[in-house]
Amino acid sequence: MQFDEPDWAALADQHQREVSRRKRMKAAGGVLAAVVAVGGITAVAATASSSSGKPKADPTVLVEATSLPPQQPDSSGDPSPAESPSGSPSPSASPSPSASASPSRSASRSPSKSPSAKASSAPAAPPDPLTVISSAATDTAPLTPAGLLPAATMQIGGKTWTRLADAQTATCYQATTGGLGDVLAAQGCRSMLRVTYTSGNSAVTIGVAVLDSKAQADAVMAGFKGQVQGLVPSGHASYCTSTGCANTHASVGRYVYLTVSGTQKPGGTTADATATAAGPSFAATTRAQLLARGSAH
């Protein structure tokens, strides 16, 4: 019995075709798996992007990008920028919406400085001293003869003047003469402050009538008559207790300030040239001290 021998060449060709087919199927399965994997990643990325309010990525572009050949360095050694098949720039090149919105949010939070805020930071101007001492309501600092004229000595007219006495009289007419008490009483005079300075036998007494307002002080000046009485301690010869001595009178704010100048020698109203010459300087010093009260508030 004779067997036909197989066609070994034909079998070999068939086997080779089967091996090639299996290889192609295996390769195709790998590509399909890669595509499915990339599609899954793209779907997850698109879901995360949509939940954060950013634009969704195009999965088609990402899948096609995976089939591009690896980047080849150019002649300088730096990689050339990759482009998508459509020629449009890569999605990562576009600015993020959140980044572009950040400056506007920061700008909206910064507070604006209004002109009124700048004005409120400026220091307030100090009050005018004359305005302060023009009313008892604003002129509230303590007031005493020694506090108003505290100097133990003064240099006036080339001479040294020494403080001899001071007093504060609640009833103004008791420290005045010649009808001045009536004028002061009509305007509600609260008290009379007096201080006496002497140089040898020459004497000057400064008086300050305290009223409640500038209007009252102006009214006293309008009807002024008489003078303040000279003040000396007990045991000293009195001087200028009646009219006839050199005197000055003026007002500032709510005050009327006066001087009377004479001698302590016997004779009462005997004129004294040294005291008469010094009277206006004592008056100017008193005015300055009264204005200083307004500056101290």
Side-chain angles (χ1 to χ4, degrees):
M1 185 175 181
Q2 185 178 0
F3 295 92
D4 292 334
E5 191 159 323
D7 188 350
W8 297 110
L11 290 174
D13 289 339
Q14 182 181 356
H15 177 72
Q16 185 63 37
R17 285 193 300 273
E18 182 68 20
V19 170
S20 297
R21 185 181 67 80
R22 289 178 181 176
K23 286 183 179 181
R24 286 194 301 273
M25 290 181 66
K26 191 174 183 179
V31 171
L32 179 61
V35 170
V36 170
V38 171
I41 293 172
T42 303
V44 172
T47 302
S49 173
S50 63
S51 64
S52 62
K54 296 182 179 180
K56 294 182 180 180
D58 186 355
T60 304
V61 174
L62 292 176
V63 171
E64 291 178 352
T66 58
S67 64
L68 293 176
Q71 247 181 344
Q72 297 297 329
D74 58 15
S75 58
S76 63
D78 295 327
S80 57
E83 293 182 355
S84 63
S86 61
S88 59
S90 170
S92 61
S94 61
S96 167
S98 60
S100 62
S102 298
S104 61
R105 288 200 298 269
S106 300
S108 64
R109 293 193 190 102
S110 58
S112 59
K113 295 183 179 179
S114 62
S116 60
K118 294 181 180 178
S120 62
S121 62
D128 175 42
L130 182 57
T131 301
V132 172
I133 66 170
S134 291
S135 171
T138 54
D139 183 19
T140 58
L143 181 60
T144 63
L148 183 62
L149 295 167
T153 61
M154 290 190 192
Q155 298 294 321
I156 292 178
K159 297 184 179 297
T160 299
W161 295 78
T162 303
R163 185 152 86 194
L164 178 66
D166 62 70
Q168 184 166 359
T169 305
T171 308
C172 297
Y173 77 86
Q174 293 178 342
T176 65
T177 187
L180 179 57
D182 294 335
V183 178
L184 291 171
Q187 299 303 323
C189 181
R190 291 188 170 274
S191 63
M192 177 71 75
L193 284 61
R194 287 182 293 169
V195 179
T196 298
Y197 285 86
T198 61
S199 179
N201 288 319
S202 302
V204 176
T205 295
I206 303 105
V208 176
V210 182
L211 299 117
D212 284 339
S213 68
K214 183 180 184 299
Q216 291 172 327
D218 291 345
V220 169
M221 291 301 297
F224 191 88
K225 60 181 176 179
Q227 65 183 50
V228 66
Q229 288 184 353
L231 173 70
V232 292
S234 178
H236 282 64
S238 63
Y239 87 105
C240 296
T241 56
S242 59
T243 59
C245 290
N247 64 87
T248 68
H249 57 276
S251 67
V252 60
R254 67 186 182 110
Y255 301 104
V256 174
Y257 58 100
L258 317 101
T259 66
V260 63
S261 305
T263 181
Q264 295 186 86
K265 292 179 181 179
T269 58
T270 304
D272 184 279
T274 301
T276 299
S281 295
F282 277 109
T285 299
T286 303
R287 177 185 175 86
Q289 290 295 99
L290 290 168
L291 284 170
R293 286 175 54 79
S295 300
H297 282 70

